[in-house]
Amino acid sequence: MNKQEFLNALEEILELDTNTLSGTETLADIDTWDSLAFLSVIAMADEHFDIVIQGDKLEQIQSVDDLVSLVQEHLSA
């Protein structure tokens, strides 16, 4: 997985235009970031990257880059 692939998948979940996210965004500042998006990210990570992200780990995430790092951490483990 590269960062751009993940950002593209996240943009789709958040119903954002392609190439909208750079990674520096704070999740709470994204209008479409809500509990459904939260669950969709967990499902996307499982479906596309075959990893399971625990909800408590995801709750600690503040930015898009934090989320990318969490997924990359799981992939390299």
Side-chain angles (χ1 to χ4, degrees):
M1 173 206 74
N2 69 38
K3 182 177 178 178
Q4 192 57 52
E5 289 173 332
F6 184 81
L7 292 177
N8 290 344
L10 187 57
E11 288 165 344
E12 188 174 324
I13 288 170
L14 297 174
E15 299 177 358
L16 300 172
D17 292 334
T18 304
N19 297 320
T20 300
L21 297 175
S22 66
T24 60
E25 299 82 7
T26 302
L27 292 171
D29 292 341
I30 300 172
D31 291 339
T32 53
W33 180 255
D34 57 14
S35 58
L36 181 58
F38 180 92
L39 294 173
S40 295
V41 167
I42 293 172
M44 180 264 297
D46 181 39
E47 182 180 330
H48 293 282
F49 305 109
D50 203 27
I51 62 172
V52 176
I53 299 175
Q54 299 298 323
D56 60 330
K57 290 250 187 195
L58 194 54
E59 287 176 352
Q60 299 170 5
I61 299 300
Q62 300 296 315
S63 71
V64 173
D65 274 338
D66 292 342
L67 188 55
V68 171
S69 295
L70 179 64
V71 171
Q72 287 177 331
E73 174 185 312
H74 277 82
L75 289 174
S76 63

